[in-house]
Amino acid sequence: MRTVTEELTQEAARGFVLGQIREAIETELEGELPSFVTVERDGQGDIQAIRTHTEELNALRVRVLERLEERLNGNVTVTIPVGSLTGVALFNGRGFPVPLKLRLESSADLDFSTEFTSAGINQSCHRITMTVRVQAYSHSQRFPVHVAETSSTVLAETVLVGNVPETAVVKTG
């Protein structure tokens, strides 16, 4: 069998980081979700405003970042399929996992973005997206790693429906 290459180590670390991001987000979003937005209406039921619950978003941000800080720093074990170590293309990605210990140092950042897009005649879509960015390093002489990954998750999506006009004027050439 050939030795563990830098590319295999890099991909194993990348898979580990992505798995930790996914797990942190899933864990924090499972169960009863808080409402991230409220649609405010007037007396006739027409939409007046969309209020974003920043306290809920900030609490989510803190929890996800704390979870990532805990899981992505220190000694971690990643795995590489034994077939990838043989050098035979047919066996690549197959076989039992071979553990590889890394000492990771990482940092994570999380932000939210909001957007309005057209969703049809007198309809708009309001969306809040959470984006997590992680940088992870292992300065080991034998297994150096640098991973930079980004993951986005839609937290809220609301279609706002306005009154549809009864007539339309079309200007022709």
Side-chain angles (χ1 to χ4, degrees):
M1 293 197 317
R2 62 186 189 147
T3 61
V4 177
T5 65
E6 189 172 325
E7 292 83 13
L8 286 172
T9 306
Q10 187 76 17
E11 281 305 304
R14 180 179 173 273
F16 177 80
V17 167
L18 285 172
Q20 293 303 314
I21 293 171
R22 179 188 42 74
E23 186 177 311
I25 293 169
E26 285 178 359
T27 300
E28 293 305 324
L29 294 180
E30 72 183 4
E32 187 71 27
L33 285 179
S35 175
F36 296 117
V37 295
T38 300
V39 178
E40 296 180 4
R41 300 176 183 275
D42 64 10
Q44 287 78 33
D46 294 330
I47 297 169
Q48 294 296 308
I50 295 180
R51 182 180 308 251
T52 303
H53 297 202
T54 55
E55 63 282 351
E56 295 290 347
L57 292 174
N58 288 332
L60 175 63
R61 180 181 195 276
V62 168
R63 290 190 313 267
V64 169
L65 290 177
E66 283 176 348
R67 187 173 296 275
L68 289 174
E69 173 76 21
E70 178 184 307
R71 301 260 175 99
L72 291 177
N73 285 297
N75 294 322
V76 301
T77 301
V78 299
T79 59
I80 299 172
V82 71
S84 298
L85 301 174
T86 65
V88 177
L90 181 63
F91 299 140
N92 195 28
R94 300 174 194 254
F96 62 88
V98 176
L100 178 65
K101 294 190 185 292
L102 298 175
R103 172 108 178 122
L104 286 184
E105 295 176 28
S106 67
S107 63
D109 189 26
L110 186 153
D111 62 7
F112 301 99
S113 62
T114 184
E115 66 178 320
F116 282 94
T117 56
S118 176
I121 298 174
N122 276 1
Q123 295 181 9
S124 298
C125 180
H126 174 252
R127 181 179 298 132
I128 298 176
T129 305
M130 176 176 65
T131 303
V132 179
R133 283 178 291 288
V134 172
Q135 298 261 350
Y137 301 92
S138 174
H139 299 290
S140 165
Q141 293 292 335
R142 184 159 180 199
F143 304 116
V145 170
H146 174 234
V147 176
E149 288 300 324
T150 301
S151 178
S152 295
T153 304
V154 175
L155 296 177
E157 191 171 60
T158 307
V159 176
L160 307 168
V161 180
N163 294 328
V164 177
E166 293 181 23
T167 60
V169 178
V170 178
K171 183 179 177 182
T172 60

